């Protein structure tokens, strides 16, 4: 073996438990990137053999065939053939098979084995096969395929040592147990051969507990199914608010403590103000949303890993079809409620390019977690906490209305796009619905950790930079002692805002909002930090500074202005990261620019209509 | 002997064999995806579920041990022969 760690790739059908196996072998230290020139994710990690030597492991996108029908499948084919840009030729291929689904999954396995590269088969999810009443003979499969076969249960970490030991032997060419199988030539032949092999490997088949099927009778019930889905979504959004209260309190406490610590340890002056108002205040006001984002992702990850998400897609397909999308778009759009970035990245599973583009373009309309701080502060300040019904508060209702506003907006936009810029024949909806499965805690935690890391990195870089720059622009130049102007009006930021103010004045926005909109281009939640920073700097004395942001808003803004501000944030594309990810996913500037333009136009119109309607109603 | 029909017309919980697929009526890519998911001439399927509110679109099929969702537009081009004896559910 050479000095460089050997490259092992995991290949297999979607839903074969490939990613669970990848997580089980590599742990949390994974590198996620992209293949050059294409929007296909490259996931790699390391594991070690029994003797301590390392190997690089790459999790290839799930594929049904080496005859590609999507960019994902093209990359899988490219890597396996050793032709993919950005990847060296693999030293061995691990084909992951769903043991309960052999006849279907063997088709792809046969295609790969037919190429003659070093292959080890992981006969995965053996536990589910047993649950289904199947008894398999792995030795027989090994004999028939002519390549090593190792039974595994990736989510329970069973069979991993055997798998790595077999790989090691295979790499050192110690074993070539049997003559490799001669693989049938085409499509139809492959399927027949797969079926024949499966029939010989399955030694017994009892009715078993068809647990999955019984669950589907409930979850896919024509009437109960949609009701259950609605309940699941309701519980999810409830939890986002209810469960996050305590951790948000801890984060707020920690940032107050940090501010107090800095205050007592540093002498008054520029540096102290900078750290307390700019750094701790700015970043702190954003990090408090980490709990909500993580709770939302916890639900999404569990729904995905359990297999329920594809059922949700099935139920939603008809509805999505009415606006020219498919059930496939449901998963990315649901993720977009947490954050549009993973949502847009999840559109990669949509095979039809027009469908995918439409989904990307409307994803930012889903109310992401970053809008919550903005909504929460405005609703808290302007909407009274009255009850409009048993257990239904007016504040919650307004928040719910903003979510609905975004969804309805997205549906209308999708419909318009599908009959204009993304016009084309209605795409199909063809999807495997995997068996239900108890998600593994480990996989969920790895997923959550990756999300938390992305968010914190964003808070630590983009959001931090934006708040710091804003703070500097607001602080300089210092207003002269004898001037009647306020510090904000005198500062660079105030002067810029005064230029923008006339543009947003017709939709009811004041100078402070114009000021907050600039740094909020970096990320929506910065708007709150920006308002807080602005009012903190503008405070004439210590006492005024202590007044909460809520009180300042109440005294400074009219209700129509506040409502217009909410309407603006339903649509405004104020998130550089979303624009950047759209550029990456659509391979150019055309679509992100289009997205920016149409969303700003919508935001302006929506805020304007809201403002003038509210004024006309005398609010 | 039950009369041949198309997949979208097949009653629920009815096993059937696919006798013909009008590959010309769908795109090459979609055809390949259907075959990759195991939907092809000669195989046995069972229609198990319909979409929301009992609309016939999409439908869920059992193909081997997989559950596959497909749209009516595809089901319409797939001709099936229902098995003489329905397997008890």
């Amino acid at each position: 073996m050479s000095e460089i760690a050997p490259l092992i790739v995991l290949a297999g059908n979607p839903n074969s438990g490939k990613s669970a196996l990848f997580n089980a072998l590599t742990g949390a230290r994974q590198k996620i990137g992209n293949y050059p020139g294409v929007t296909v994710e490259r996931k790699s990690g390391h594991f070690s053999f029994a003797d301590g030597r390392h190997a690089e492991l790459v999790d290839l996108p799930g594929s049904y065939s080496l005859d590609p029908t999507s960019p994902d499948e093209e990359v899988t084919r490219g890597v396996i053939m050793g032709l993919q840009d950005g990847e060296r030729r693999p030293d061995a291929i691990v084909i992951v098979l769903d043991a309960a689904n052999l006849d279907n999954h063997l088709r792809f396995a046969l295609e790969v084995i037919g190429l003659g590269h070093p292959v080890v088969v992981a006969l995965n999810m053996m536990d589910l096969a047993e649950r289904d009443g199947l008894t398999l003979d792995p030795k027989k499969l090994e004999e028939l395929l002519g390549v090593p076969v190792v039974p595994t249960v990736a989510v329970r970490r069973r069979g991993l040592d055997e798998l790595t030991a077999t790989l090691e032997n295979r790499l050192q060419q110690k074993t070539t147990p049997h003559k490799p199988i001669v693989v049938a030539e085409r499509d139809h032949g492959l399927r027949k051969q797969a079926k024949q092999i499966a029939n010989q490997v399955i030694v017994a088949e009892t009715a078993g507990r068809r647990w999955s099927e019984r669950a589907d009778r409930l979850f896919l019930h024509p009437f109960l199914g949609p009701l259950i889905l609605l309940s699941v979504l309701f519980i999810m959004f409830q939890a986002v608010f209810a469960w996050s209260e305590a951790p948000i309190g801890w984060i707020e406490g920690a940032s107050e403590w940090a501010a107090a610590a800095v205050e007592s340890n540093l002498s008054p002056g520029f540096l102290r103000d900078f750290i307390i108002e700019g750094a701790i205040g700015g970043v702190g006001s954003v990090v408090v949303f980490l709990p909500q984002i993580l709770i939302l992702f916890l639900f999404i990850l569990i729904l995905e890993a359990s297999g329920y998400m594809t059922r949700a897609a099935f139920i939603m397909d008809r509805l999505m079809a009415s606006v020219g999308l498919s059930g496939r778009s449901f998963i990315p759009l649901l993720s977009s409620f947490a954050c549009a970035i993973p949502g847009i990245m999840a559109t990669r599973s949509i095979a039809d390019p027009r469908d995918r583009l439409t989904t990307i373009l409307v994803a930012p309309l889903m109310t992401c977690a970053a809008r919550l701080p903005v909504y929460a502060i405005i609703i808290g300040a302007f909407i009274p906490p009255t009850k409009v019904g048993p257990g239904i508060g007016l504040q919650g209702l307004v928040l719910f209305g903003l979510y609905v506003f975004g969804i309805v907006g997205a549906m209308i936009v999708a419909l318009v796009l599908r009959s204009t810029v993304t016009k084309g024949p209605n795409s199909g909806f063809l999807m495997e619905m995997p068996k239900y499965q108890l998600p593994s805690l480990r996989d969920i935690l790895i997923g959550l950790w990756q999300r938390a890391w992305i968010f914190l990195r964003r808070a630590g870089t983009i959001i931090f930079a934006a708040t710091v720059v804003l703070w500097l622009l607001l602080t300089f130049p210092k207003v002269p002692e004898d001037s009647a102007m306020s510090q904000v009006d005198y500062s660079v930021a105030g002067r810029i805002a005064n230029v923008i103010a006339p543009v947003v004045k017709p939709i009811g926005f004041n100078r402070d909002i114009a000021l907050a909109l600039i740094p909020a281009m970096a990320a929506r939640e910065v708007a709150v930090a920006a308002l807080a920073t602005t009012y903190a700097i503008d405070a004439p004395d210590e006492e005024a500074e202590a007044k909460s942001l809520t009180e300042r808003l109440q005294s400074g803004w009219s209700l129509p202005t506040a409502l217009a501000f909410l309407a603006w944030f339903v649509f405004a594309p104020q998130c550089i990261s979303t624009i950047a990810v759209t550029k990456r996913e659509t391979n150019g500037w055309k679509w992100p620019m289009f997205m920016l333009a149409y969303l700003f136009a919508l935001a302006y119109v929506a805020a304007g209509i809201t403002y003038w309607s509210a004024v006309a109603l005398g609010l | 002997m039950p009369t041949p029909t198309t997949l979208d017309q097949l009653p629920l919980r009815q096993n059937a064999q696919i006798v013909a697929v009008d590959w010309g009526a769908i795109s090459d890519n979609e055809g390949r995806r259907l075959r990759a998911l195991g939907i092809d001439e000669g195989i046995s399927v069972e229609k198990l579920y319909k979409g929301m509110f009992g609309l016939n679109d999409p439908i869920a099929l059992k193909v081997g041990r997989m559950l596959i969702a497909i749209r009516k537009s595809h089901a319409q081009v797939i001709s099936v022969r229902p098995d003489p004896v329905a397997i008890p559910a």
Side-chain angles (χ1 to χ4, degrees), chain B residues 51-81:
Chain B
M52 197 178 349
F53 309 134
L55 294 170
N56 215 7
D57 192 15
I59 55 174
L61 298 176
K62 204 170 151 199
V63 181
R65 277 181 197 78
M66 280 208 283
L67 189 63
I68 308 283
I70 84 170
R71 273 208 183 145
K72 193 179 178 177
S73 55
H74 285 151
Q76 279 167 336
V77 304
I78 300 173
S79 305
V80 292
R81 189 188 317 114

Side-chain angles (χ1 to χ4, degrees), chain A residues 4-300:
Chain A
I4 317 163
L7 175 67
I8 318 281
V9 297
L10 290 180
N13 283 41
N15 309 313
S16 57
K18 215 163 40 65
S19 297
L21 186 61
F22 180 76
N23 283 345
L25 285 170
T26 61
R29 294 183 62 87
Q30 303 177 358
K31 252 174 65 187
I32 300 176
N34 249 12
Y35 284 98
V38 284
T39 55
V40 176
E41 196 169 81
R42 180 183 186 275
K43 245 169 90 180
S44 75
H46 283 88
F47 70 94
S48 37
F49 294 115
D51 64 2
R53 276 173 316 153
H54 287 280
E56 186 183 4
L57 190 68
V58 166
D59 187 14
L60 292 178
S63 296
Y64 288 104
S65 168
L66 280 184
D67 194 2
T69 58
S70 69
D72 274 11
E73 290 188 339
E74 258 165 54
V75 164
T76 297
R77 177 178 183 277
V79 173
I80 288 174
M81 302 280 210
L83 306 167
Q84 179 61 42
D85 218 10
E87 196 74 88
R88 54 202 164 105
R89 182 181 266 280
D91 296 286
I93 301 162
V94 176
I95 302 175
V96 189
L97 292 180
D98 172 4
N101 218 340
L102 267 190
D103 31 354
N104 285 312
H105 283 193
L106 271 172
R107 189 182 178 281
F108 176 67
L110 284 169
E111 274 190 285
V112 177
I113 293 168
L115 297 173
H117 301 313
V119 163
V120 172
V121 168
L123 190 56
N124 197 27
M125 310 211 270
M126 284 294 277
D127 56 336
L128 294 190
E130 281 159 27
R131 197 181 73 184
D132 268 5
L134 286 176
T135 313
L136 302 178
D137 182 354
K139 280 277 157 259
K140 183 79 186 169
L141 184 61
E142 185 165 298
E143 198 182 295
L144 289 170
L145 292 178
V147 298
V149 173
V150 183
T152 56
V153 183
V155 286
R156 311 279 165 255
R157 306 181 60 75
R158 292 216 297 262
L160 299 184
D161 292 344
E162 292 83 345
L163 182 63
T164 50
T166 310
L167 265 173
E168 197 175 10
N169 286 338
R170 189 67 193 84
L171 285 173
Q172 294 168 349
Q173 312 243 308
K174 277 190 195 151
T175 46
T176 13
H178 308 281
K179 249 174 86 165
I181 190 167
V182 179
V183 174
E185 279 294 314
R186 288 294 316 164
D187 248 13
H188 307 268
L190 270 175
R191 182 176 49 76
K192 286 197 184 110
Q193 194 176 17
K195 180 84 187 144
Q196 278 168 9
I197 295 173
N199 285 346
Q200 292 181 68
V201 173
I202 299 169
V203 287
E205 188 176 4
T206 59
R209 291 179 296 141
R210 301 278 167 146
W211 197 84
S212 227
E213 215 167 289
R214 242 179 284 160
D216 269 335
R217 280 195 215 173
L218 183 65
F219 291 135
L220 294 182
H221 188 278
F223 296 98
L224 289 177
L227 265 180
I228 293 170
L229 175 59
L230 206 64
S231 316
V232 168
L233 295 180
F234 182 78
I235 292 169
M236 179 167 115
F237 284 113
Q238 278 292 307
V240 164
F241 292 98
W243 299 359
S244 59
E245 258 175 52
I248 286 176
W250 304 333
I251 295 172
E252 279 172 349
S255 80
E256 273 163 31
W257 175 85
V262 172
E263 196 162 9
S264 57
N265 285 313
L266 280 179
S267 51
F270 170 75
L271 187 65
R272 194 176 91 170
D273 288 352
F274 171 79
I275 293 174
I276 293 174
E277 287 169 12
I280 298 176
V283 174
S285 65
V286 172
V287 173
V288 288
F289 296 98
L290 184 62
Q292 293 186 334
I293 290 178
L294 289 186
I295 292 166
L296 197 53
F297 269 120
L298 175 69
F299 274 85
I300 288 173

Side-chain angles (χ1 to χ4, degrees), chain A residues 33 122 138 140 143 231 255 260 263 319 336 381 397 403 407 487 491 495 519-520 525 549 560 569 582 592 599 604 612:
Chain A
K140 183 79 186 169
E143 198 182 295
S231 316
S255 80
E263 196 162 9
L319 214 61
S336 300
L397 203 64
Y403 273 89
I407 296 168
Q487 170 60 36
S491 71
R495 291 171 208 196
E525 57 270 46
L549 180 57
F569 269 93
T582 304
L599 285 174
Y604 195 84
W612 289 108

Side-chain angles (χ1 to χ4, degrees), chain A residues 484-504:
Chain A
M485 280 172 89
S486 73
Q487 170 60 36
V488 169
D489 280 325
Y490 198 79
S491 71
V492 178
R495 291 171 208 196
I496 298 173
N498 287 337
V499 175
I500 299 174
V503 181
V504 292

Side-chain angles (χ1 to χ4, degrees), chain A residues 383-451:
Chain A
I383 309 294
T386 47
K387 294 266 176 230
V388 289
I392 306 166
L394 186 60
Q395 292 185 331
L397 203 64
V398 170
L399 184 65
F400 181 72
L402 291 169
Y403 273 89
V404 172
F405 206 12
I407 296 168
V408 172
M411 295 297 123
I412 294 170
V413 169
L415 198 60
V416 171
L417 291 177
R418 280 306 250 140
S419 50
T420 54
V421 288
T422 56
K423 195 173 179 158
N426 230 332
S427 61
F429 172 63
L430 196 58
M431 185 185 69
E432 180 187 349
M433 294 191 270
K435 292 189 174 59
Y436 291 101
Q437 198 176 168
L438 198 65
S440 106
L441 184 65
R442 187 187 162 86
D443 290 346
I444 302 288
L445 288 179
I446 289 177
L448 275 181
W449 161 245
Q450 285 168 349
R451 263 53 173 219

